[in-house]
Amino acid sequence: MSSDSVDEQVGKAKPKFRGPVMFRRERKPGARTADRNLLDTRQDSEWVHTDPWRVLRIQAEFVEGFGALAEVPPAVTVFGSARTPVDHPEYAAARAIGSALTDAGFAIITGGGPGAMEAANRGSSEAGGYSIGLGIELPFEQGLNDWVDLGINFRYFFVRKTMFVKYSQAFVCLPGGFGTLDELFEALTLVQTRKITRFPIILFGTAYWSGLVEWMRSSLAGSGKISPEDLDLIQVTDSVEDVVRIVKEATGGRGGDIERLGTEDQW
């Protein structure tokens, strides 16, 4: 085939470049340039919801999260239901866990919401600790609770989960719903597949978690979907003292010096 016949097939179109991206032939009528999209205030805003722009928002969330959390002391993440009432025993347990881990030198990270998350942040704050909340943009939940010292609101769950894993020495899961289960199995998968260093995953509340643990033993391990030793990645307890002991044993008792972070203005 001659070069002329090739040119005829492509309409003699010359390539156009936008950075590393090449376009050949005419684009749709009315296509806007990048400069016009940026500078023309009369345009609609649909372009900011395109995938390339979304990538920049994701990148910005990672940068914000890493920057805000880079100097936090060793921390433990406490998960639990946002629907736990203030007068419920689980609220009291989360509050006690937050306080006890703070006394052991650890910062407390939660999802920043109400319920059990609020209780853990409250326990940490009341004990003079460093109380962190990593919130998520949801249409049906309140913002960060009043006991959070350092708070970040995320748009994307996967960015938020990265922060939990990266900056935690252990996970403590109180009774919770889909969100708690999501975080629990994310951590289990990462530890099981050795994508991250093994750290304690503690289920607090034997009455609540025993059915799930038995199902994993009988159905998952029983049918060969996981190895029996994978169940050793989970520890179940009803004791706040056990939680602190497990975390300290796994970390060598290396809690953080919270005072080194300075005042709130310096954060």
Side-chain angles (χ1 to χ4, degrees), residues 90 175 203-213 236-238:
E90 291 167 6
L203 304 183
F204 189 90
T206 55
Y208 187 85
W209 294 111
S210 58
L212 175 63
V213 173
V236 187
T237 184
D238 290 311

Side-chain angles (χ1 to χ4, degrees), residues 7 10 12-16 22-27:
D7 286 341
V10 299
K12 295 186 181 293
K14 294 182 179 180
K16 298 178 182 179
M22 184 195 77
F23 299 93
R24 193 183 296 277
R25 292 181 289 279
E26 290 299 318
R27 288 183 284 169

Side-chain angles (χ1 to χ4, degrees), residues 2-71:
S2 70
S3 60
D4 286 343
S5 61
V6 172
D7 286 341
E8 289 173 1
Q9 286 190 15
V10 299
K12 295 186 181 293
K14 294 182 179 180
K16 298 178 182 179
F17 294 89
R18 189 175 68 199
V21 181
M22 184 195 77
F23 299 93
R24 193 183 296 277
R25 292 181 289 279
E26 290 299 318
R27 288 183 284 169
K28 293 180 181 180
R32 309 170 71 93
T33 66
D35 283 341
R36 184 178 175 189
N37 279 333
L38 177 63
L39 299 174
D40 189 350
T41 58
R42 294 169 297 177
Q43 62 174 300
D44 64 52
S45 61
E46 189 62 30
W47 68 280
V48 302
H49 303 294
T50 61
D51 285 341
W53 188 254
R54 188 171 291 114
V55 168
L56 295 179
R57 289 204 304 266
I58 293 168
Q59 175 181 292
E61 288 209 349
F62 277 114
V63 171
E64 286 287 343
F66 291 151
L69 299 171
E71 296 185 358

